[in-house]
């Protein structure tokens, strides 16, 4: 027992000595975390979309920034959701914005491969990167994404996160979001996509 006290004594004395500094630091980090997200993650211009009275798409114009980006949709079709989670983030329903296992796997793959093979980002982290627009992809920015992602998981539920991701994910060229991609590539609404089209 005395040996255990001797081993743990040093760290405990250190923590006791600097407990106020640790307390203040934790409080500051918590406050920054609490207010780190902007009130609205995306303020991008959207395409003007014209529907008939039965909800069929008649046409659309390109957004002011030159992107095909339809207005945000608050739901995600089942087939696309299933394909997305299978490919991008199988543990999406169970993590709090960050997957330690995914980051560890990516770190090992990158070290053993001698180059960047995987990033280990969850869907929530990818959404934060999209919202932060054009930030360089380095370790510091990855840490910021993690910080934002954990906060986003407290602000939004999983369905809201998936809906924002589907509405703002780049889909090739100047096509942004699932609804625009479904129309541009397949000529039909996202909820009518087949399994193969959803996976594509």
């Amino acid at each position: 027992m005395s040996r255990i006290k001797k081993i743990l004594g040093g760290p405990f004395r250190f923590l006791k000595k600097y407990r106020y500094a640790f307390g203040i630091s934790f409080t500051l980090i918590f406050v920054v975390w609490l207010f780190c997200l902007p009130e609205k993650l995306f303020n991008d211009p959207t395409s003007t979309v014209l529907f008939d009275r039965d909800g069929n798409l008649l046409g659309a114009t390109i957004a002011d920034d030159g992107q095909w980006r339809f207005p945000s949709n608050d739901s995600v079709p089942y087939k696309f959701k299933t394909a997305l989670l299978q490919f991008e983030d199988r543990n999406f329903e169970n993590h709090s914005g960050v997957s330690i296992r995914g980051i560890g796997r990516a770190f090992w793959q990158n070290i053993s491969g001698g180059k960047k093979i995987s990033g280990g980002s969850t869907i929530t982290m990818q959404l934060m990167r999209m919202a932060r627009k054009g930030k360089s992809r380095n370790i510091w920015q990855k840490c910021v994404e993690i910080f934002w992602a954990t906060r986003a998981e407290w602000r939004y539920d999983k369905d809201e996160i998936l809906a924002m991701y589907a509405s703002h994910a780049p889909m090739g060229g100047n096509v942004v979001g699932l609804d625009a991609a479904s129309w541009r590539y397949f000529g039909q609404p996202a909820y009518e996509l087949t399994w193969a089209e959803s996976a594509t």
Side-chain angles (χ1 to χ4, degrees):
M1 191 70 175
S2 60
R3 188 175 177 183
I4 294 174
K5 286 183 179 179
K6 190 174 181 180
I7 293 171
L8 297 178
F12 280 140
R13 280 196 298 272
F14 178 80
L15 290 173
K16 187 176 181 181
K17 183 178 180 181
Y18 294 102
R19 64 186 180 276
Y20 294 116
F22 283 120
I24 292 170
S25 298
F26 176 82
T27 302
L28 287 174
I29 291 171
F30 177 75
V31 170
V32 171
W33 176 83
L34 194 62
F35 295 102
C36 67
L37 292 183
E39 189 169 332
K40 191 175 181 182
L41 288 179
F42 297 94
N43 290 297
D44 302 308
T46 59
S47 301
T48 299
V49 184
L50 181 65
F51 296 95
D52 66 17
R53 61 181 169 185
D54 296 320
N56 300 310
L57 180 64
L58 297 177
T61 62
I62 201 163
D64 290 342
D65 61 353
Q67 305 293 306
W68 289 104
R69 184 190 299 105
F70 283 14
S72 296
N73 198 329
D74 60 3
S75 63
V76 179
Y78 172 75
K79 292 176 184 176
F80 178 78
K81 175 181 175 180
T82 304
L84 175 66
L85 296 187
Q86 182 67 23
F87 183 75
E88 289 287 346
D89 191 351
R90 295 180 186 179
N91 198 37
F92 175 74
E93 299 290 353
N94 301 313
H95 64 62
S96 298
V98 181
S99 172
I100 302 301
R101 180 186 298 176
I103 291 175
R105 183 181 63 249
F107 179 77
W108 175 251
Q109 287 176 341
N110 296 340
I111 292 295
S112 59
K115 61 180 180 179
K116 185 173 181 180
I117 298 172
S118 175
S121 293
T122 62
I123 283 176
T124 314
M125 289 171 63
Q126 293 178 46
L127 181 66
M128 297 303 103
R129 183 169 65 246
M130 289 187 278
R132 297 179 69 241
K133 303 227 180 290
K135 300 292 184 182
S136 58
R137 301 179 76 171
N138 54 41
I139 293 176
W140 169 250
Q141 296 301 335
K142 180 75 73 175
C143 291
V144 175
E145 288 169 19
I146 290 171
F147 201 67
W148 277 38
T150 56
R151 182 66 183 93
E153 290 274 348
W154 279 82
R155 178 187 286 185
Y156 306 107
D157 63 35
K158 293 289 186 179
D159 289 337
E160 290 174 313
I161 290 171
L162 278 179
M164 284 189 287
Y165 183 96
S167 293
H168 296 280
M171 295 285 183
N174 66 338
V175 180
V176 178
L178 174 63
D179 289 331
S182 299
W183 177 61
R184 294 288 292 172
Y185 298 140
F186 301 111
Q188 58 187 347
Y191 61 83
E192 291 185 2
L193 294 178
T194 65
W195 280 106
E197 290 166 342
S198 298
T200 301

